[in-house]
């Protein structure tokens, strides 16, 4: 029996609500062996209270030592084995801008770039154009027609756009055309199988026409593509857990991930406070809320230890408002660690706390890596957290007689 | 996706070096419930410093409660699931004496024994002959010819030799002829399938001829065989991890295990110091070094608690020389526990420490079973340690977008 089939058997109809608060890249590292991590340094009275009444643990996103991108990191949290369900970047980008992806689509992330007279890349991000310029450039590309596929070009922001080819029998095993270097031309697309060769031919034709359309538009006179992807077959949260689920996320990628597993995407505004306001306003409409907080990751990526500490403290400040709604289960965790020491995502396990009336408290007094290490949830794969959330919300029946 | 395929996807080209120091049978037990283990008793300032700056954990060789032999113990450490990849003793013995095994070979471990006039075993180890006598006896056996297979007989040491039958369609599902008792004759070989029946017939013919050749040579006038084995299909460390790998081991079996996964076998001399000297001398030639230290196991097998403590202290003394080479990741662990209280291998999880600039320290101050139990690596299968070593050496890219 698969875990999802087990969940379908165990789940019960219940009004109990679950809140999953994901602080992106939450886990960290101390700057010296005897020092504290960002989370341990932060003044977090409300998360510490969660630790006191709840149960702690360390969550491993994929496998020990494996650093996840946002896709596998979040799929794991939602209870989907990230080695079984794989999502390409193009799909994430398309979902993130609310593009209605179909099963006939190949999606790909595009970057505007600057080409010199010889067709070589001089700036991989086209001087980071304004989003207005991005929209204008995309509008020019929308004039391009191809034989054998519909073409959709959608702006994201700055130098980024999404290209979608919709047609029958299109494969997604196509190489990135972004050479990840300047001084060389973009790569030709090639397909690894007949269906993908069909896609590659369309892509190469698109790029030739794009170069023509944009030839007078330096610095946005070229484009590279990466992350060709079709939509994976993935069951919804409703199907697996019986949870009517909503995402309250500010950034497009996380909205896209949530949409992929069937969540409704709510208007989250731009701030943590507007996210909390939305949570309150829609509290009676859903069983499961995914709240995503980006800034613990972005400050970590910047290598800014002090700023990551502040962003954690800002998150801590909204915990009482969430708990005041009295969710049957509140789970606070991250999709991976982003130690400011490393300025990148990492494999280190992620501090996690579950708060529920059904918790077995573990004597912890602070929410930090050290206390999570010896917490009552142990060290566990992220994909098992939803099992615990369902159980602590009282939404699971007994397995077997 | 298999873990090995994942590793092949994630691995990056890097100059970062990994040292895996395996103290055979490292884990132990206290002699009384309130006592300390051998490792906790030993004075290990250098391993304690590793614990302070590194991350601790407990490694389970196969599954909880499962006591491994050296083969599965080491395969797990090298990142090969020991339940998926199984190695027969005959193969280990053959590899350990530098015999060039081919896919047509069935290898088997031989013991010279003493037979009485009735053909019954009176000494299963033939009075532990000198290695010179072993060689002379093997030379007599080399006169034996069989129809249907080439025969190779190779000395190991004392009463031990290796027999290799090379031919087409030979199976290895043949019982041991060693009855593990005296006062009874050696067992007849029988095959469990047609290919193995062919092997068994050859073996029985070999033994009949051996008894004739050796009949005047008591106490080395007979032989028993055990561990019939063909070579398993196993990818190399280079193939899986992209690591140019070397083994610095004194004992044949560990050299054999390392050769099985494609490591170069370096001249290690006979002492820990000569092993360290070899490590220094070849530091620039390899990405991965496997150092094997036998005496923590052999003293445990002897039931000599105090001597195991001393052997651990001797190992501790070479840690600074290894760390002075500045490996990107140093991993110190064992292939299993060998508590002197039990005088045997055991299933108890093995104290493990990883030292790297990318460690999340866990507040530990000593390298011992108690502190490893609450370490930041948690309790994990041995087969995941190489994932962590690769990550801590900075040799893995990110999984997914």
């Amino acid at each position: 029996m698969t875990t999802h089939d087990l969940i379908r058997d165990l789940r019960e109809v219940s009004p109990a609500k679950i809140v999953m608060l994901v602080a992106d890249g939450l886990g960290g590292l101390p700057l010296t062996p005897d020092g504290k991590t960002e989370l341990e340094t932060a003044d977090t009275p409300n998360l510490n209270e969660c630790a006191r009444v709840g149960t702690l643990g360390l969550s491993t996103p994929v496998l020990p030592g494996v650093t996840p991108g946002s896709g596998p990191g979040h799929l794991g949290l939602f209870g989907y084995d990230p080695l079984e369900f794989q999502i390409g970047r193009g799909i994430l980008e398309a979902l993130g801008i609310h593009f209605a992806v179909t099963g006939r689509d190949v999606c790909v992330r595009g970057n505007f770039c600057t080409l010199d007279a010889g067709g070589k890349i001089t700036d991989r991000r086209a001087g980071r154009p304004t989003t207005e310029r991005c929209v204008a450039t995309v509008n020019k590309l929308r004039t391009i027609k191809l034989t054998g596929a519909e073409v959709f070009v959608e702006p994201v922001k700055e130098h980024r756009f999404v290209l979608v080819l919709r047609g029958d029998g299109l494969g997604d095993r196509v190489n990135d055309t972004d050479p990840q270097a300047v001084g060389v031309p973009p790569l030709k697309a090639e397909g690894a199988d007949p269906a993908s060769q069909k896609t590659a031919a369309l892509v190469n034709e698109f790029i030739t026409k794009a170069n023509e359309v944009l030839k007078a538009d330096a610095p946005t006179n070229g484009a590279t593509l990466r992350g060709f992807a079709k939509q994976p077959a993935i069951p919804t949260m409703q199907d697996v857990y019986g949870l009517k689920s909503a995402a309250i996320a500010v950034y497009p990628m996380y909205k896209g991930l949530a949409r992929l597993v069937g969540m409704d995407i709510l208007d989250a505004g731009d701030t943590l406070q507007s996210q909390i306001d939305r949570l309150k306003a829609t509290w009676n409409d859903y069983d499961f809320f995914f709240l995503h907080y980006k800034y613990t990751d972005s400050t970590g990526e910047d290598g800014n230890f002090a700023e990551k500490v502040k962003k954690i403290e800002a998150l801590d400040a909204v915990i009482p408002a969430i708990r005041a709604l009295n969710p049957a289960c509140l789970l606070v965790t991250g999709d991976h660690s982003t130690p400011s020491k490393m300025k990148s995502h990492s494999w280190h396990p992620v501090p996690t706390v579950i708060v529920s009336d059904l918790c077995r408290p573990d004597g912890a007094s602070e929410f930090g890596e050290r206390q999570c290490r010896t917490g009552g949830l142990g060290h566990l794969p992220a994909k098992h957290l939803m099992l615990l959330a369902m159980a602590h919300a009282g939404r699971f029946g007994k397995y077997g007689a």
Side-chain angles (χ1 to χ4, degrees), chain A:
Chain A
M1 176 153 50
T2 68
T3 304
H4 283 182
D5 285 341
L6 175 65
I7 293 166
R8 289 184 187 97
D9 278 359
L10 297 183
R11 77 190 199 205
E12 295 182 341
V13 175
S14 161
K17 294 186 190 300
I18 298 171
V19 175
M20 175 181 279
L21 174 57
V22 177
D24 204 301
L26 177 62
L29 288 176
L31 297 177
T32 60
D34 300 316
K36 292 181 173 182
T37 66
E38 297 90 329
L39 180 58
E40 290 165 350
T41 302
D43 181 24
T44 55
N46 300 304
L47 287 167
N48 292 351
E49 177 63 14
C50 290
R52 194 182 70 77
V53 301
T55 313
L56 304 181
L58 283 179
S59 160
T60 294
V62 181
L63 279 175
V66 175
T67 297
S70 299
H74 279 82
L75 279 197
L77 293 179
F78 301 151
Y80 299 81
D81 187 327
L83 293 173
E84 180 182 350
F85 297 97
Q86 298 183 37
I87 312 166
R89 171 167 286 268
I91 287 291
L92 281 185
E93 292 280 337
L95 292 170
I97 56 167
H98 291 239
F99 185 86
V101 178
T102 78
R104 297 170 67 227
D105 296 353
V106 173
C107 302
V108 56
R109 152 87 179 265
N111 281 352
F112 292 117
C113 65
T114 307
L115 302 177
D116 67 16
K120 291 177 180 163
I121 298 171
T122 57
D123 186 330
R124 290 177 57 237
R125 295 183 184 84
R128 287 197 183 268
T130 62
T131 297
E132 288 69 27
R133 182 164 182 148
C134 176
V135 170
T137 310
V138 161
N139 279 334
K140 290 192 175 189
L141 295 184
R142 283 175 167 167
T143 64
I144 296 172
K145 305 294 176 199
L146 301 177
T147 304
E150 281 183 90
V151 181
F152 301 87
V153 193
E154 301 289 340
V156 180
K157 61 194 286 193
E158 300 174 346
H159 58 289
R160 292 159 51 192
F161 68 94
V162 169
L163 170 68
V164 179
L165 300 177
R166 179 172 297 166
D168 292 321
L170 299 181
D172 64 0
R173 297 181 59 201
V174 177
N175 62 287
D176 295 350
T177 72
D178 182 349
Q180 303 264 358
V182 295
V184 292
L187 302 171
K188 282 283 172 196
E190 293 178 25
D193 53 42
S196 303
Q197 284 157 13
K198 187 173 168 186
T199 306
L202 291 164
V203 163
N204 289 328
E205 183 186 346
F206 175 83
I207 289 293
T208 301
K209 291 182 174 176
N211 289 345
E212 182 62 26
V213 166
L214 303 180
K215 65 182 174 189
D217 287 3
T220 53
N221 64 344
T224 59
L225 301 170
R226 56 185 167 129
F228 288 81
K230 300 193 73 166
Q231 186 168 248
I234 192 163
T236 65
M237 298 280 284
Q238 179 75 53
D239 174 40
V240 177
Y241 301 100
L243 294 173
K244 190 177 180 207
S245 301
I248 306 179
V250 172
Y251 278 67
M253 184 181 287
Y254 312 98
K255 297 180 188 181
L257 281 161
R259 188 174 295 109
L260 191 71
V261 295
M263 292 190 209
D264 285 354
I265 311 303
L266 306 186
D267 180 4
D270 287 330
T271 67
L272 201 45
Q273 188 53 52
S274 60
Q275 288 177 278
I276 298 299
D277 292 343
R278 182 59 54 193
L279 178 69
K280 288 181 188 169
T282 57
W283 187 247
N284 293 321
D285 302 335
Y286 294 94
D287 303 309
F288 177 90
F289 294 90
F290 158 53
L291 269 76
H292 180 265
Y293 182 63
K294 176 68 176 170
Y295 305 106
T296 33
D297 177 63
S298 46
T299 49
E301 292 259 14
D302 290 343
N304 194 332
F305 190 103
E307 197 61 24
K308 185 172 175 185
V309 168
K310 283 188 195 165
K311 294 302 185 186
I312 292 168
E313 291 173 348
L315 185 70
D316 183 77
V318 305
I319 298 293
I322 299 171
R323 293 191 65 198
L325 294 165
N326 205 23
C329 176
L330 166 64
L331 191 153
V332 184
T333 185
D335 56 336
H336 52 75
S337 293
T338 304
S340 30
K341 177 177 172 175
M342 292 175 69
K343 299 185 181 180
S344 68
H345 292 197
S346 83
W347 63 88
H348 299 89
V350 182
T352 300
V353 61
I354 284 180
V355 182
S356 142
D357 286 346
L358 304 180
C359 276
R360 181 190 283 165
D362 42 26
S365 54
E366 290 181 13
F367 184 52
E369 285 83 351
R370 278 172 176 72
Q371 295 206 1
C372 286
R373 213 183 60 227
T374 54
L377 305 179
H379 297 218
L380 78 171
K383 67 180 177 181
H384 288 164
L385 288 173
M386 274 300 297
L387 293 170
L388 287 165
M390 290 287 283
H392 282 87
R395 296 186 73 106
F396 269 164
K398 191 161 61 178
Y399 174 61

